Amino acid sequence: MRIVVPWNAGGATDVISRALATAMAQPLGQPVVVDNRPGANGAVGAQFVASARPDGHTLFVASAETHSVNPLVYSRLAYDPVAGFEPITVFASGPFALVVRSGLGADTLDAFIRLARSRPGQLTYASWGIGSTSQLAAASVIQNAGLDLLHVPFTGAAPAYTALVAAQVDAMFMNAGPAEGLARDGRVKILGIGSPERVPLLPAVPTLRELGMPLDAANWFALLSPARTPQDVVSRVATVAAEALRTPAVQEVFRAQGILPVGLPPVETRAFIAADRERLAPIVRSLNIRLD
């Protein structure tokens, strides 16, 4: 069995997918390998899996980018995010942390909002690309608080993080794992976390909801198989994945990355993805994002 990850090796999606694959191998009685197929905001890997044989031996790690955002920002996709896949499980949620550069002079969310309102159009926020989940998370805060910030998109998370640490940009939403490391070294200040509850990696960081901003900012990760995969195979893989999420080894990897295990069954996974796409649609429309 192979699990296709549509991103480069070494990122958070790759790390947690490899942990899950290792834990699934023994109960499935076969090797489970991760196959990285990056490109086109996840579309390369998604197309590959959608056209694979539906026998349960090729799975896909979907996320908000591949199944919520891409259908909204591309007029044509090489894969059908709904009809092309069988949902297996949403296995993880990756909350984003709202961070600001050191020396900005805003150590709380309220202070940041006051500063941004006093300097309309002057503060900047980074993202790892136009139409990325980091941009959409920031846009939600901007709209909620009535702010005017300048978006500075980068070609990936790493250069965006570098720019923030170098004080070339003022703020961004980043994955909780990297945020914790940078904050521990004093290179950024974390203002809030975009999950419904506080995360174990950052127990002292309040959620945006606690701070009076009623929104979530996170990515999600799901296992999907090609359409027409037999339901007994889908159920078996979902059960094994749920068991893998409870193993100490997987939980430790997830915790270090700031990732929360989930484990939705197939029917709920389908409904979750549809609801997330509907949630993001008005944000994408308001920003008039088109990538083709």
Side-chain angles (χ1 to χ4, degrees):
M1 176 182 289
R2 62 177 160 181
I3 298 177
V4 174
V5 173
W7 313 105
N8 289 320
T13 309
D14 178 69
V15 170
I16 64 172
S17 297
R18 290 180 185 277
L20 188 69
T22 299
M24 291 173 63
Q26 183 174 352
L28 287 173
Q30 60 182 303
V32 181
V33 299
V34 167
D35 181 1
N36 298 95
R37 291 179 178 263
N41 205 35
V44 171
Q47 180 184 6
F48 175 81
V49 175
S51 60
R53 182 178 299 175
D55 56 8
H57 285 88
T58 303
L59 307 181
F60 181 64
V61 178
S63 65
E65 285 92 351
T66 62
H67 278 66
S68 295
V69 178
N70 280 359
L72 299 172
V73 299
Y74 289 100
S75 59
R76 297 180 63 184
L77 279 176
Y79 63 96
D80 188 323
V82 179
F85 298 88
E86 294 290 340
I88 297 176
T89 180
V90 175
F91 67 89
S93 173
F96 294 147
L98 175 57
V99 302
V100 297
R101 63 175 175 84
S102 295
L104 182 63
D107 290 345
T108 67
L109 180 60
D110 283 344
F112 176 71
I113 290 173
R114 288 195 302 270
L115 180 63
R117 286 175 176 168
S118 71
R119 297 168 58 187
Q122 297 181 41
L123 297 190
T124 58
Y125 74 96
S127 79
W128 49 79
I130 296 174
S132 66
T133 47
S134 57
Q135 182 196 5
L136 298 184
S140 296
V141 169
I142 290 168
Q143 292 174 5
N144 186 280
L147 305 181
D148 180 10
L149 305 181
L150 176 63
H151 178 214
V152 183
F154 289 83
T155 57
Y161 298 168
T162 299
L164 182 69
V165 171
Q168 296 170 350
V169 291
D170 297 312
M172 74 173 297
F173 271 98
M174 66 167 57
N175 294 309
E180 188 274 337
L182 293 174
R184 185 174 1 105
D185 293 341
R187 291 187 283 178
V188 301
K189 176 68 178 180
I190 303 176
L191 304 185
I193 193 80
S195 55
E197 299 178 354
R198 296 192 184 196
V199 300
L201 183 66
L202 297 164
V205 176
T207 68
L208 296 178
R209 294 186 182 190
E210 287 180 74
L211 298 172
M213 191 162 287
L215 57 86
D216 297 330
N219 204 345
W220 50 263
F221 308 93
L223 281 181
L224 310 180
S225 64
R228 298 178 299 282
T229 301
Q231 286 305 302
D232 61 331
V233 174
V234 169
S235 297
R236 172 62 176 155
V237 176
T239 298
V240 170
E243 294 171 351
L245 291 175
R246 293 192 288 269
T247 63
V250 169
Q251 291 183 358
E252 179 55 33
V253 171
F254 278 35
R255 184 188 181 282
Q257 294 291 325
I259 302 292
L260 305 175
V262 180
L264 293 183
V267 173
E268 293 183 29
T269 292
R270 185 183 297 278
F272 175 90
I273 294 174
D276 190 61
R277 189 161 50 246
E278 184 176 347
R279 177 183 67 85
L280 291 177
I283 302 173
V284 172
R285 284 196 299 267
S286 70
L287 297 172
N288 194 28
I289 299 173
R290 302 303 302 177
L291 297 182
D292 55 4

